[in-house]
Each structure stands twice: as structure tokens, then as C-alpha cells.
Amino acid sequence: MASKPKQLLTELSHPGPHEVLRGNLALVGLPGIVFTPRSGLGLPAIAFGHGWLQPTGRYRQLLHHLASWGVVAAAPATQRGPLPSHRLLAADLLTTLDVITTVRLGPDGISVDPEQLGLAGHSTGGGSAVLAAGTSAAASADSGKARAISAPQNNSAGDLGRTYPRIGAVATITAAQTFPPATEAAKLITAPGLHLAAEEDLVAPPIGHAEAIANAWAGPVQLRTLGKSSHLGVTEGRHWSQLLLHGKPHRSTQQLTRALFTAFFLTHLTGTDKYLPLLESDVKRAPIDLPEEPAA
């Protein structure tokens, strides 16, 4: 018998069955953190983009939660200054996927399936995740199978001959517009998208940010608005940036994000249909505002 959405939400709000290991991406040449299940071969994986001025540690429990459900979750700690390059953070997200796909992780030789990769992010990190997915989609469209291309907005020698990973799903929380615009990149993305907006977001109001990105999405997309939540609701702990940005950590937002991200990535990266009832239903404080249908 299929589980009801409320049961699935409760299940996915709790840690999964896997013991979790934490690693340092700096050991393979990129600052950041990675969380993995203790063992497993051919695992799904995501790269997560941090918000403006936010350290990756403010998403530790979210990344740990995904790993406990069998999803390798990594977050590069780059572009953390007051004037970050969204395009370079997007490039770092793709590099992160390259790194965790090509090296063995953990003492037992954990590996990632290159056909089960996703992107996620918060705030401008969410917008950068969209830019990264757009870059991958453009590469795939030009080559037929994501062969090496030169990125259209970066002619540096370092990008010549680069092969981009194929992205299977993209999820964001209080996504913010970027430069170049995430809304333009969204027009290229045919992979499923999940965008969580915050009802009380004064930093990146949904209408001009998450909602605009979702409306531009080329593939299946869903927009939900998290009630009583602000721009920083998903973050964890205290940080001096709260003096500049409206909002603060919100436990309900964190729980909903963990559950919905987990259901979304397990569904679209691994092919399971167990969690579809949750993804297809309104839940308390996270109603569906835009159904999962491709843009015209």
C-alpha cells in the first residue's frame, strides 16, 4: 500500500538509515565540505551552492540529512566575499560534481554514478545552481551528449575542452537572481526543477526571483511557498551576516527543506516512485504554487 504524503513527510523529516561521513574537498584541490553515506557504489550526488556571505557550515544538517538517505552532498566554499561572481560559483559547482564523480570517497571506496547528478542551492547559490544547470544543458544541446565545449560567456583557456556533467535535477531554496540572469539559464533546463520560496522573504521576494525562475523553466518544474519563512530560514546557527540580511534560521523551514529535497532527489536521480505522493501533494506550510509541468 502506498504511503500517504503526510506519512512520507514525517519519514523524510527524520535522518535516513545510512551512517554519515564528513570530508574536506580541499584534500582534492577545492575548498568545501562533502557528506557521504559510510559505504556504497554508484550513489546519486548533488553539489550545493551557499547563499551570499554564508559559510557552508550553515547548511551542515541539510547536507548531512541528504547523505543519511544515500545522496552524496558536497558544497564548495568559494566566492564568499561581498562581491562574488555568480558565474564562477556556478563553475565551481560543476567542478565539485566532477571531483566527487572521479575520485573514490571515504575509507571503503564510495563512488558516485555520473548519471545521477543534481544541483541545489540557497539564495544566490540557488541562482548559481541554475546557471550551472543551464551551462550543462547548453553543452548537451551543442554536442548531443555534453561533449567538451567552450562556455559561451567564458573564453578563458581553462574552460576550453571542458566536459560538463549531465544534470538530472535542480532544487533551490529562496533562490535569488544572478548575473548573468538565472531566468535566462532556466529557459535551457529540461531537467526537473523544485523551487522553494519563502513567504516573508524581503531579500529575494518570490515574484522577481524564485517565481520568475520557475516560470522560465523549460522542463518539469514545481514552485512551493514556505509559510512563515524568511530568506535565511534554511540556514543553521548564528552568523554575523544576519545583521545585514533580513531573517533568521527557522526550524520548520529546515525540516520541510530536508524532506522535500530528499524526496525530490531520490525520485529524479534514482528513479524511485515511492516519494511521488509527497511531491505531488500540498503539505502544511508548503503548498504547490506552480505544478510540475513544462513551460510552453
Side-chain angles (χ1 to χ4, degrees):
M1 181 179 296
S3 299
K4 295 181 179 180
K6 187 175 180 180
Q7 294 172 327
L8 294 172
L9 182 64
T10 299
E11 177 184 346
L12 292 177
S13 295
H14 292 90
H18 298 278
E19 185 178 350
V20 175
L21 301 176
R22 174 176 175 166
N24 190 342
L25 289 177
L27 297 176
V28 288
L30 183 71
I33 54 176
V34 57
F35 290 84
T36 74
R38 173 167 285 279
S39 62
L41 299 175
L43 297 171
I46 67 140
F48 184 92
H50 62 80
W52 185 55
L53 300 176
Q54 304 305 305
T56 55
R58 297 206 83 186
Y59 311 99
R60 184 179 63 84
Q61 289 299 326
L62 173 58
L63 302 177
H64 185 283
H65 187 88
L66 288 166
S68 76
W69 283 97
V71 179
V72 174
T78 59
Q79 300 301 317
R80 287 197 50 225
L83 297 174
S85 167
H86 304 137
R87 179 179 55 78
L88 291 180
L89 179 56
D92 289 338
L93 290 170
L94 293 173
T95 297
T96 298
L97 291 178
D98 286 338
V99 167
I100 62 178
T101 302
T102 55
V103 302
R104 285 295 178 98
L105 305 167
D108 297 322
I110 300 159
S111 68
V112 167
D113 185 344
E115 297 300 315
Q116 297 184 29
L117 301 178
L119 289 162
H122 165 238
S123 183
T124 50
S128 292
V130 175
L131 292 181
T135 297
S136 176
S140 181
D142 285 350
S143 68
K145 55 180 179 179
R147 289 200 305 265
I149 68 163
S150 176
Q153 294 173 328
N154 185 359
N155 296 323
S156 66
D159 275 343
L160 295 177
R162 177 172 181 177
T163 300
Y164 293 98
R166 188 184 70 83
I167 304 303
V170 183
T172 69
I173 169 73
T174 60
Q177 276 284 20
T178 55
F179 182 80
T183 44
E184 291 301 309
K187 296 176 181 179
L188 304 174
I189 304 170
T190 57
L194 171 66
H195 303 287
L196 305 182
E199 183 180 42
E200 301 173 1
D201 192 342
L202 302 182
V203 178
I207 192 169
H209 297 269
E211 184 177 333
I213 291 169
N215 283 331
W217 208 260
V221 66
Q222 187 177 96
L223 172 70
R224 292 176 183 260
T225 300
L226 305 183
K228 299 182 180 180
S229 181
S230 65
H231 190 73
L232 294 178
V234 73
T235 59
E236 303 155 14
R238 295 182 179 180
H239 189 252
W240 63 263
S241 60
Q242 289 173 219
L243 298 173
L244 301 176
L245 297 172
H246 175 264
K248 61 183 179 180
H250 186 234
R251 184 175 180 182
S252 177
T253 295
Q254 295 164 4
Q255 291 177 329
L256 284 169
T257 302
R258 292 170 195 166
L260 290 170
F261 271 28
T262 302
F264 178 74
F265 285 121
L266 288 179
T267 297
H268 293 294
L269 297 185
T270 72
T272 181
D273 60 3
K274 178 179 179 180
Y275 304 108
L276 278 175
L278 172 58
L279 294 177
E280 294 173 348
S281 302
D282 287 330
V283 298
K284 186 177 180 181
R285 293 186 178 177
I288 298 172
D289 295 318
L290 187 68
E292 192 170 314
E293 297 176 354

